Amino acid sequence: MAASDIDAQKALLASLKKDGADHQAIEDAKKRLGDLQRALALAKGKSSAAEGKKRERLLLKTAKGTRDYGPAEMFCRAHIERTVVDVFTTYGGAELDTPVFERKDVLTGKYGEDAKLIFDLMDQGGEQLALRYDHTVPLARYLAMVGANNTQSKIWQVGKVYRRDNPVMSKGRMREFKQADFDISGTWDPMIADAELMSLLCTIMTRLDVGDYTIKLNHRKILDGIFQVCGVPAASIRAISSAVDKLDKWIWDAVVSSSSLTRKLPWAEVKKEMTEEKGLDGAVADNIGEYVKLKGGPELLEKLKADATLIANTSATQGLADMAILFGLLEAYKVLDKFSFDLSLARGLDYYTGIIYEVVVEASAPPGFKDGSPAPPPSKKSKKPKTGDDEDEVDESQVGVGSIAAGGRYDNLVGMFTAAAAAEGKKAAELPCIGVSIGLDRVFALVWPKWVEKGMRSKETQAYVVSMGDGLLKERVELVQQLREAGIKTDFLAKNKPKHQAQFAASERDEVPFAIIIAPEEWAAGYVRVKEQKWEFVNGQKVKVMSEDKGTQVKRDELVVWLKDTPTLRGWASGKLIE
């Protein structure tokens, strides 16, 4: 805003007064002059403040609940993702990709009490948008858009999702995280698709080497039947189900302030929420407690089938019949021993209609919970002053990883979208679905320490071309290209006349298993020399194995076959560096 604009406005106001203009025109001119003067004063004030203010340093950090992954970590993460996707394709899956943000009305009303965790975006050109919370709702939206006629399909997705949760970074519980989903849609004979998905989940968990795992399993219809026979009002069933779903979560939250928890505390807290916050009668809550404390296998199913009160409920009877079929199929898949029929499992999301499940490992629970011993003392809180966007910190030493995969059957979600989009009076198409989401960041939190402990590779490079003598740049480039075209991942030092020590140092830094050495005389005779490099652990540190071996002389035209026939490259997929 320039002073000349104010001068011009003053002249205009004077002219209007001189000419006897109407009152409103004069008042408008006065208002415009005042606006210009205030704008100029504000601009001058900002300029003066900027000149006298010390430059603020940029705070280099990632946003809360997010993190970077370095090259070595990404090599491990890529291995995890490849393992998962390989199983997805082995089971007949086809890939889908959906946008990372959706129209907000697509996401709302699907997540129950967790809806508060949705990341809203500001109005973007007239559309209210939000970052996707999971892959399930976008998949259902996609299936509805293509007419809900994608019968008996298997679809997988891998990508990032977002939740405004309180993060625990070291345990893979973040605000931005990657999920891998596999979903089966369409009408199948009872429980066949469900058992197929359970088998897929067991295969992935075994191949990922996450340690001993258990898949907690329940059925929404059994749970609803329990609530009904215990006397929960129909309008309160979802709210009470959400409370039951917090049985484990109460442990994670409460343990932050106490290291002497017992197994009785979680139910006491859940009952308190049911009665004091959600208005449920205490006797009804006690009846629910007698059921949700039960867990087992086929023997629990038989016990429930002998419960005359429960089997009189239609919903429970349907759920028990489904579970009987499922247990038989899981036995045929030879994975029944991996499952725990757990009536406390509720899964708080609103869209589940049938079986529900989640995968837990020993690290899922807080420290000390499994064996009943006290958790370690809480870490001392940081004394750093909080910034404006800081929230209460979670003591990561007191928190478990949580479930590493979860899912369930959702037969009505696609129909919700088709019904909402259909013309009034027109019947909407429905498409039953069942799916699972695998938390790749939580899996990484479990696998990465083992990866480091075993001395796994941090890079894909398989061979490094080293020159002895006068650079031999063109010869190095020629050999590098030959190996790359043969599918051997190869690198070299991008210098005209590098010292051989610098080249070996570069290959060792990247932990390359083969150094391909070219020297003028051997190259002219059609030979190269191959030196295999190995590493070992010494006092907990990974170091190169020192050797006086000068390498093996190999004919250039036989080099590719020679390398591919080595045990190192034959077993390359394992990623292992240390035997």
Side-chain angles (χ1 to χ4, degrees):
M1 182 58 58
S4 58
D5 295 327
I6 295 177
D7 292 338
Q9 189 64 23
K10 286 180 177 179
L12 175 61
L13 179 58
S15 176
L16 290 173
K17 290 180 177 179
K18 181 179 179 181
D19 296 340
D22 64 79
H23 176 74
Q24 188 58 48
I26 293 173
E27 289 301 313
D28 290 343
K30 285 182 179 179
K31 183 177 182 303
R32 174 61 178 161
L33 177 59
D35 291 342
L36 291 172
Q37 290 172 329
R38 282 190 293 273
L40 180 60
L42 183 61
K44 286 182 176 180
K46 285 184 176 180
S47 176
S48 299
E51 290 173 1
K53 187 177 180 182
K54 183 179 179 181
R55 180 182 69 86
E56 290 187 5
R57 295 170 60 188
L58 176 65
L59 181 60
L60 290 174
K61 59 174 290 188
T62 59
K64 183 174 181 177
T66 67
R67 59 158 294 185
D68 299 317
Y69 292 96
E73 293 170 310
M74 282 306 301
F75 190 66
C76 176
R77 288 173 66 85
H79 162 75
I80 293 170
E81 190 170 321
R82 279 195 305 270
T83 302
V84 172
V85 170
D86 181 64
V87 177
F88 284 173
T89 55
T90 298
Y91 276 71
E95 186 177 11
L96 173 70
D97 184 47
T98 59
V100 74
F101 54 87
E102 295 274 353
R103 289 172 53 93
K104 188 176 179 182
D105 54 1
V106 167
L107 302 181
T108 52
K110 315 298 188 306
Y111 301 112
E113 294 184 356
D114 284 346
K116 63 182 179 292
L117 303 181
I118 293 175
F119 262 109
D120 290 340
L121 299 178
M122 295 181 67
D123 187 352
Q124 303 293 322
E127 286 190 314
Q128 294 293 328
L129 306 176
L131 295 175
R132 64 187 177 198
Y133 178 95
D134 61 13
H135 292 305
T136 305
V137 171
L139 169 64
R141 187 262 309 149
Y142 163 80
L143 292 173
M145 285 179 63
V146 297
N149 58 6
N150 198 4
T151 58
Q152 296 194 342
S153 69
K154 297 177 176 180
I155 294 176
W156 62 268
Q157 303 175 77
V158 176
K160 291 186 175 182
V161 297
Y162 300 84
R163 297 179 189 176
R164 197 182 181 283
D165 208 346
N166 213 7
V168 186
M169 304 298 291
S170 66
K171 306 300 171 67
R173 295 170 62 185
M174 300 187 290
R175 290 183 166 185
E176 178 193 64
F177 53 98
K178 189 174 261 192
Q179 282 190 336
D181 280 36
F182 191 96
D183 295 80
I184 302 176
S185 66
T187 303
W188 305 65
D189 287 340
M191 306 312 291
I192 296 177
D194 309 61
E196 174 82 343
L197 200 66
M198 297 298 94
S199 171
L200 171 141
L201 190 52
C202 289
T203 302
I204 290 173
M205 292 300 116
T206 300
R207 291 192 186 180
L208 285 177
D209 190 26
V210 295
D212 291 337
Y213 66 89
T214 299
I215 302 179
K216 296 166 64 175
L217 180 67
N218 202 0
H219 199 299
R220 219 42 182 294
K221 289 183 178 179
I222 295 176
L223 201 57
D224 288 351
I226 289 171
F227 293 151
Q228 290 166 13
V229 301
C230 288
V232 178
S236 301
I237 284 180
R238 280 295 159 260
I240 298 304
S241 178
S242 177
V244 171
D245 188 50
K246 295 175 182 176
L247 275 171
D248 286 339
K249 293 182 177 67
W250 278 114
I251 297 170
W252 298 336
D253 293 340
V255 79
V256 175
S257 59
S258 172
S259 61
S260 58
L261 292 176
T262 68
R263 292 180 180 272
K264 295 181 180 179
L265 178 59
W267 170 247
E269 293 292 339
V270 170
K271 179 183 176 181
K272 182 178 179 181
E273 179 181 342
M274 288 179 175
T275 55
E276 296 185 12
E277 296 181 26
K278 298 182 176 177
L280 191 67
D281 181 85
V284 174
D286 288 336
N287 290 336
I288 294 172
E290 293 304 311
Y291 281 106
V292 298
K293 294 174 185 176
L294 298 175
K295 61 183 66 177
E299 74 285 351
L300 176 56
L301 178 64
E302 295 306 314
K303 179 177 180 178
L304 295 176
K305 288 165 69 174
D307 186 328
T309 303
L310 189 61
I311 62 172
N313 180 274
T314 302
S315 176
T317 301
Q318 292 174 348
L320 293 170
D322 284 348
M323 293 295 285
I325 298 172
L326 180 62
F327 281 145
L329 291 171
L330 293 179
E331 188 174 17
Y333 276 112
K334 296 182 171 57
V335 294
L336 183 57
D337 61 313
K338 297 296 184 182
F339 289 82
S340 171
F341 184 15
D342 190 334
L343 294 183
S344 71
L345 180 64
R347 302 289 300 150
L349 302 182
D350 283 355
Y351 50 67
Y352 289 128
T353 58
I355 67 164
I356 48 179
Y357 34 85
E358 65 181 29
V359 182
V360 294
V361 295
E362 184 175 351
S364 295
F369 175 70
K370 183 178 180 182
D371 57 11
S373 61
S379 301
K380 292 183 179 180
K381 291 188 177 181
S382 170
K383 294 183 178 180
K384 293 187 299 182
K386 290 186 177 182
T387 58
D389 60 348
D390 278 347
E391 299 175 15
D392 290 338
E393 293 183 5
V394 174
D395 185 348
E396 300 194 10
S397 70
Q398 304 291 298
V399 181
V401 172
S403 62
I404 59 176
R409 173 163 286 281
Y410 53 102
D411 287 346
N412 301 328
L413 187 56
V414 177
M416 287 174 59
F417 285 118
T418 56
E424 189 173 350
K426 184 177 180 181
K427 185 177 180 181
E430 295 184 353
L431 189 66
C433 298
I434 183 170
V436 65
S437 298
I438 300 168
L440 297 183
D441 295 275
R442 295 189 182 188
V443 171
F444 172 77
L446 298 173
V447 173
W448 174 245
K450 298 180 181 180
W451 187 275
V452 174
E453 182 182 337
K454 293 178 180 178
M456 306 300 271
R457 294 186 178 91
S458 59
K459 202 170 184 180
E460 287 272 15
T461 310
Q462 299 168 317
Y464 203 97
V465 175
V466 176
S467 63
M468 307 293 286
D470 192 30
L472 300 173
L473 177 60
K474 289 186 177 180
E475 290 81 354
R476 282 186 289 143
V477 170
E478 179 183 334
L479 184 56
V480 165
Q481 194 64 9
Q482 174 191 345
L483 294 174
R484 287 173 176 170
E485 289 175 353
I488 297 174
K489 299 174 176 65
T490 310
D491 205 355
F492 71 108
L493 195 59
K495 286 184 173 290
N496 278 310
K497 297 182 179 181
K499 294 180 180 180
H500 73 274
Q501 296 95 330
Q503 296 174 82
F504 274 108
S507 72
E508 292 169 14
R509 185 169 54 250
D510 290 343
E511 298 177 338
V512 182
F514 292 103
I516 315 298
I517 306 166
I518 59 176
E521 298 81 6
E522 289 183 328
W523 182 265
Y527 287 91
V528 296
R529 191 169 294 274
V530 182
K531 184 174 182 179
E532 186 165 4
Q533 306 184 119
K534 296 185 177 182
W535 283 258
E536 65 181 351
F537 280 117
V538 177
N539 297 324
Q541 297 294 318
K542 185 164 58 174
V543 297
K544 185 184 177 185
V545 177
M546 304 309 295
S547 172
E548 297 298 325
D549 179 29
K550 301 299 182 182
T552 304
Q553 195 176 60
V554 180
K555 288 183 178 180
R556 281 167 50 193
D557 56 4
E558 297 176 0
L559 178 60
V560 170
V561 174
W562 191 94
L563 287 170
K564 289 186 175 181
D565 196 43
T566 60
T568 298
L569 290 199
R570 286 204 308 270
W572 182 260
S574 72
K576 204 169 183 185
L577 262 178
I578 296 173
E579 298 303 327

